[in-house]
Amino acid sequence: MKKIFYIPVLLLGMGLVSNIGFAEDFSKSDYLYFSISWASNNIVTPETIYFVGTEENVYDELPRSRFHLDKDGWFYYSDAYQKNLLILGYPSVNFNLGDSNSWKTSEYEKEKGIFYSSNFGASYTATSELKENTKAGAVVYKAENLGKFAYASQSHYSPFAWNYDGKPWVEGVKGDGIGEKLTIRTKEQFHSLIILNGYVCPNKTNLYKKNSRVKAFAVKDLDNNQEYIFNLEDVVEFQSFYFRKKTKNIELTIKEVYKGEKWDDTCITALIPANIYSFGDEDKSQPFEQSYTYKRDKNEVFENIEQIKKSYERISHENDSGDGK
């Protein structure tokens, strides 16, 4: 994207990740968790992936080479059946790299039209929105896009159906948008905010790093007159932050950004009001400055692994002819 010359990069036919086998892994020393289905969890150490099948009460130990974080800020995982492009965090989603033909919004989803953040009746406004001229016509990266990244799902197997026709919100001022504001107003109270930062497009993964991303938000809880700083990691992940009191109205101001490699447009794909865990009307334990990280504490991870080994049965590979690579 470019604010002055309107280069129509959104229409370029880029392959998904042609260099996936050669991508640099920036997470080799990190410990983390991720999920690829409602019934499985994975624990990553620098040497091993511990797959946990919660429904079957089984676990497996897989080679660490099946997981990596690439130079574009996306996570990848290869299980015994397929390669997956991941968005970690809560919620989480995986895209099957071997089934790119299904990477389009279905007619059923378009007709259903129930977006993920609709449960709270969220509405979004911004002090600016980027307008871009393309060969297909004018595109406006509206604030309301922040609630349309996915369709709500009625199934417990998946928290949502990804909206492949969706676009992020992009600020529309000269420069990288420092000082631009977003406002969220809801019909129901919420106490947490989930942020999917940057331009997140599963079949154009390089758009994340080519455009700018938010590094820090200054946040105001307009109902309770409280202010926060939310510091974000520079990876494609749902990042969660919390308020001390429940609210219906917040304002976010871009305080700092990660510079785009090609364009200075600052993008955000989703802002999701949520109630991730239950508490009363007030939770004073939440700090006013919060920093999200995808990394997990090493000791906590190993304690969890020991509990898994005691509680779950190891999968036998005696008749397993495939290695999943």
Side-chain angles (χ1 to χ4, degrees):
M1 291 183 296
K2 195 169 184 179
K3 296 172 185 171
I4 300 176
F5 299 105
Y6 303 110
I7 296 176
V9 299
L10 296 180
L11 301 178
L12 296 179
M14 297 180 176
L16 174 61
V17 186
S18 60
N19 65 336
I20 181 172
F22 306 98
E24 183 177 355
D25 187 345
F26 292 99
S27 63
K28 286 182 177 178
S29 62
D30 297 331
Y31 298 78
L32 54 94
Y33 301 114
F34 71 94
S35 174
I36 59 170
S37 80
W38 67 277
S40 70
N41 293 291
N42 298 268
I43 301 175
V44 178
T45 74
E47 296 81 24
T48 306
I49 302 170
Y50 294 84
F51 165 84
V52 183
T54 54
E55 190 175 39
E56 302 88 355
N57 285 324
V58 297
Y59 87 96
D60 198 6
E61 297 179 16
L62 306 173
R64 173 60 176 75
S65 58
R66 291 186 178 182
F67 178 91
H68 75 272
L69 168 63
D70 86 341
K71 62 181 179 60
D72 285 329
W74 286 78
F75 296 96
Y76 292 84
Y77 170 65
S78 298
D79 62 20
Y81 308 101
Q82 63 191 28
K83 291 182 179 179
N84 301 275
L85 174 65
L86 307 175
I87 302 178
L88 305 189
Y90 179 82
S92 61
V93 62
N94 66 287
F95 305 93
N96 180 359
L97 295 182
D99 190 23
S100 59
N101 289 332
S102 67
W103 287 23
K104 59 182 180 180
T105 304
S106 72
E107 293 303 316
Y108 171 73
E109 289 163 351
K110 292 178 181 178
E111 182 180 348
K112 185 168 60 173
I114 304 172
F115 291 101
Y116 188 73
S117 63
S118 64
N119 291 342
F120 287 88
S123 63
Y124 303 83
T125 57
T127 51
S128 68
E129 298 172 337
L130 176 63
K131 298 179 181 179
E132 183 178 47
N133 293 325
T134 72
K135 290 181 180 179
V139 176
V140 181
Y141 297 88
K142 300 178 181 179
E144 66 187 46
N145 293 349
L146 294 163
K148 296 186 176 183
F149 74 102
Y151 295 91
S153 173
Q154 303 302 317
S155 170
H156 71 283
Y157 289 97
S158 175
F160 57 77
W162 189 263
N163 178 11
Y164 293 99
D165 295 333
K167 299 285 189 297
W169 168 75
V170 185
E171 47 76 27
V173 298
K174 185 177 181 180
D176 49 24
I178 299 293
E180 290 304 287
K181 299 179 186 298
L182 286 160
T183 302
I184 304 176
R185 302 187 185 278
T186 63
K187 295 178 181 178
E188 299 179 24
Q189 286 188 320
F190 62 96
H191 69 72
S192 47
L193 184 68
I194 303 170
I195 301 173
L196 184 56
N197 200 16
Y199 198 129
V200 177
C201 182
N203 56 358
K204 297 177 183 176
T205 56
N206 58 6
L207 292 181
Y208 179 79
K209 283 290 182 75
K210 283 188 173 181
N211 292 282
S212 297
R213 292 83 59 200
V214 176
K215 187 174 183 179
F217 272 124
V219 183
K220 289 183 180 180
D221 175 353
L222 300 175
D223 289 349
N224 299 302
N225 194 30
Q226 294 184 337
E227 299 185 3
Y228 301 81
I229 298 295
F230 292 167
N231 298 298
L232 286 79
E233 286 268 1
D234 193 18
V235 290
V236 179
E237 182 169 6
F238 292 102
Q239 305 185 44
S240 300
F241 300 90
Y242 304 90
F243 300 97
R244 287 194 164 190
K245 295 184 177 182
K246 292 182 178 180
T247 184
K248 291 183 180 180
N249 299 282
I250 61 170
E251 180 186 80
L252 301 96
T253 303
I254 299 175
K255 188 171 182 285
E256 192 175 358
V257 302
Y258 297 103
K259 294 283 189 179
E261 295 175 350
K262 189 169 185 179
W263 299 292
D264 60 3
D265 306 310
T266 298
C267 310
I268 306 167
T269 295
L271 295 176
I272 312 166
N275 286 321
I276 295 177
Y277 64 88
S278 298
F279 72 97
D281 292 334
E282 190 169 19
D283 183 1
K284 293 182 179 180
S285 67
Q286 299 300 335
F288 288 114
E289 181 165 357
Q290 300 178 30
S291 296
Y292 182 89
T293 178
Y294 70 91
K295 304 169 186 176
R296 298 296 180 262
D297 177 75
K298 177 180 178 180
N299 293 330
E300 177 188 343
V301 167
F302 278 114
E303 286 178 7
N304 198 208
I305 290 170
E306 289 304 312
Q307 292 174 358
I308 288 167
K309 289 183 176 180
K310 292 177 181 178
S311 305
Y312 290 77
E313 182 179 352
R314 177 77 185 275
I315 294 175
S316 172
H317 289 278
E318 292 180 3
N319 298 317
D320 186 3
S321 59
D323 61 4
K325 295 181 180 179

